Amino acid sequence: MATVTFNIWRGDHEGGKLEPYNTEISEGMVVLDAVHQIQAEHANDLAVRWNCKAGKCGSCSAEINGRPKLMCMTRMSDMPTDKPVKVEPMKAFPLIKDLVTDVSWNYRVKQKIKKFKPRPPDHEDGTWRMFQADIDRVQEFRKCIECFLCQDVCHVLREHQLHDTFIGPRQMVFNAALEMHPLDTEDRLKNLKEEGGIGFCNITKCCTTVCPESITITDNAIIPLKERVADRFYDPLKKLFRLFKKNEK
Amino acid sequence: MDRYEKYEHDVLIIGTGGAGLRAAIEASAAGVSVGVVCRSLLGKAHTVMAEGGVAASLANVDERDGWKVHFTDTMRGGQYLNNWRMAELHARESPDRVRELEAWGALFDRTKDGRILQRNFGGHKYPRLAHVGDRTGLEMIRTLQDHGIHQGLSIYQECTITALIKNEDRVIGAFAYDREKGKFKVFQAKSVVLSTGGMGRIYKITSNSWDCTGSGISLAYHAGAELIDMEFVQFHPTGMVWPPSVRGLLITEGVRGEGGVLRNSENSRFMFNDIPDLYRNQTSDNEDEGWRYTQGDREAKRPPELLTRDHVARCIVREVKEGRGSPHGGVFLDIAWIKDKIPNAAAHIKRKLPSMYHQFKELANIDITREPMEVGPTTHYIMGGIRVDADTQMTSINGLFAAGECAAGLHGANRLGGNSLSDLLVFGKRAGEYAAGFARENEMVQVQEHQVEELAAEALAPFEKGPENPFQIQGDLQVMMQDLVGIIRSESGLSKALEGIGKLWERAKNAGSGGNRSYNPGWHTALELKHMLTVAEAIARAAKERQESRGGHYREDYTGKSEAFGQVNITVRKQENGTMNVEQIPIKPIRDDLMQTIQEMK
Ligand SMILES: Cc1cc2nc3c(=O)[nH]c(=O)nc-3n(C[C@H](O)[C@H](O)[C@H](O)COP(=O)(O)OP(=O)(O)OC[C@H]3O[C@@H](n4cnc5c(N)ncnc54)[C@H](O)[C@@H]3O)c2cc1C
Ligand code: SF4
Ligand code: SF4
Ligand code: FES
């Protein structure tokens, strides 16, 4: 047991400050446990969002010592405790209160992405046949727990606040999951280029580094999408080639 | 009077786990207006945690499977206290419900010939669980969410229902506050669906998420609806026990399925010492045969570690009680030992159990390919809940429907793994369909101003009260339920629990919260105490009534099954004077053809 100081951000959109709290840390504790303990002992009204405490729901995103992380998967033993541990809300989204931010923008953006549109069933039993090798990549994208930590760390959103022109890495992953789904027949490339703002991503890979599900966001999702967009809209040779291909059919 | 916002929908759905989302999609497809309320963010409900899979007799892996086998397995697992009509509908309809998910974009793991892969699970005769690695719940909830948001639903996130509103014998709406500002909302609706999930959080050690306080069960109870089977709580035998902060976190049955064994501090495989007569023919009596079973030998019998969840959980408790436990009060679950049996065991374990490897590495600093895990039982699921009509999912109150874990009947005395996710789909759909039908046939009734005033006053009361700390009361309840209404129960323990719950009700009257109404967990917890105490009391009273041991309910003063109690379900209902009434009701005789099916499958 040791007493550790936590500097926790308290306040709302009108302002606030880091507030120091001391609490006892016992073996195996994660940051979320410490925050709960502080809430129960010192600050009943300390706002924090969480559901599963198992790294599965993506609710407890915050910035711990400046790093975007899930509070429930950050162990105290991996943290220097000789100085205060700083816990702050995500910065890319408007603050509601204390550690809780308004992430509704992510839901609004997602709603605008064209939905899954399967081809007609190709088997007499009314279903499809798909092979594991063809869905491995999409299954990787579908591991996403919508914690929005990648959105938080992406400089296009965080520093430049371009929420109106760039949908962010999470929604790129979502687009990729749809575009690479073996059954999907929809075309989202024009949307990715225009409303999606895929050109704003300059491949810094910060999003990939923070993803708690280890999704290779940049290499596996964004870059292939960029290539498809480039093929379609910027490569006259390929455009011509596609035309021929079409005629062959 | 505090200002409030008012919303009107034909159908109001409370909860957005698998059951609520499926209900919403169905109701909206029927052409009525649908409002959906959840107190967390969309896509974060407890369903997201489900691991193993969804049960449906697709017969993709073993062609001998079919709805009749699934039906029989479910009835046997529930020790024949199930609502047999629900078990029938569930077994017949779950394959279509799973295939439908695929049409909405779900990507289940595949068989070699490109169909949905299915895996073995306890109590299911054939490989039956469609799955995506060990994250099936995430796949399911995301598929329903991404499909649902295009169905024209009005979704209210982080909005908590505190009471249902009635007019005479019919439910006409619900009262809520939003989390962000603490503002009140009144939802007026022609019909209401409860899909609020389970109650694991009223116990200290649980695998359940924050949301699972049983609030929907309590909302229905206080509106006058009948509850049933409340004594049946499932304790999963293998939760983490160390470190304390992760106590209860689930360790999938898959670990034992892959050859993991249970040992006590004397290094003995204690499960061999206690094999119930009923299962003796199916269980191996030596370590070698058990190992061969886990490696797919169809001739071998299963190792005793894979006996039913309730039995394994009790054996673990006994080892600990008799002083043969592990250092932190559990027993050892060892998968590392298979290195004596197969080459490259470490890589094999990591491939088969990726999230278990990750979970122990990250949270306990334990490498399960080298050392044993410490495990103990954890509160997992409630078979009981709101009593519903099998076909329509309507409760005993007009216009009020329920589906998913908060509803009861399908699972009887014990649920089989995988049968919950399929339950959500089959009965979520039915609830949505019939709630929409009810809405079309009935007029909207106006919620009265005085009803709103009373509910608003009740909701604001914690700001006037004190000095009791709501978190402290909640913590005391959790400890007491764990000790006295847990895996092993007795008349004296249950009486003591009821006395204790009475005292906590008194303390809860003085539970107050500081701060203001904006995103205030202290306030929310104070309001939640009523629901947690209601559900706790219902469980304890029903458990006291059932003087036998069966499925998830074990009484050390009545260790055997009783024939008389095998004929009845126990119901709980609120009386006029506010007290809780417990009653035994006879089970309806099973339809002849279903009885015959059960006989044939024996
Ligand atoms: C770790 C774990 C693994 C599991 N694995 C499996 C498995 O492999 N297979 C299987 O079949 N089952 C499994 N289960 C069980 C299964 O996951 C649950 O029974 C099921 O998900 C419950 O779904 P639901 O839709 O009924 O409710 P939930 O998913 O719990 O959703 C409840 C919803 O109600 C809302 N809510 C609650 N109260 C209120 C209120 N007062 N006001 C407003 N909204 C409210 C919540 O916000 C939430 O949206 C598992 C359970 C656990 C804990
Ligand atoms: S790689 Fe692109 S999306 Fe990811 S953080 Fe960098 S700029 Fe943002
Ligand atoms: S892609 Fe990764 S970091 Fe981004 S929201 Fe999904 S899980 Fe979180
Ligand atoms: S609480 Fe669910 S991810 Fe942390």
Side-chain angles (χ1 to χ4, degrees), chain B residues 335-350 369:
Chain B
I335 181 81
W337 81 280
I338 68 171
K339 62 180 177 292
D340 302 341
K341 293 282 186 184
I342 55 173
N344 298 326
H348 176 81
I349 294 167
K350 283 188 217 172
T369 68

Side-chain angles (χ1 to χ4, degrees), chain A residues 153-156 166 169 200-207 218 222:
Chain A
V153 81
C154 175
H155 67 107
V156 184
F166 180 55
F200 283 98
C201 163
N202 57 345
I203 321 194
T204 58
K205 302 199 183 184
C206 312
C207 51
T218 325
I222 302 182

Side-chain angles (χ1 to χ4, degrees), chain A residues 56 75 110-111 142 146, chain B residues 51 139 146 149 362-363:
Chain A
K56 289 184 174 156
R75 280 164 60 98
K110 190 182 200 186
Q111 178 123 33
R142 292 181 67 90
E146 300 202 323
Chain B
E51 297 171 353
E139 186 69 13
D146 294 346
I149 56 174
E362 293 281 311
L363 295 174

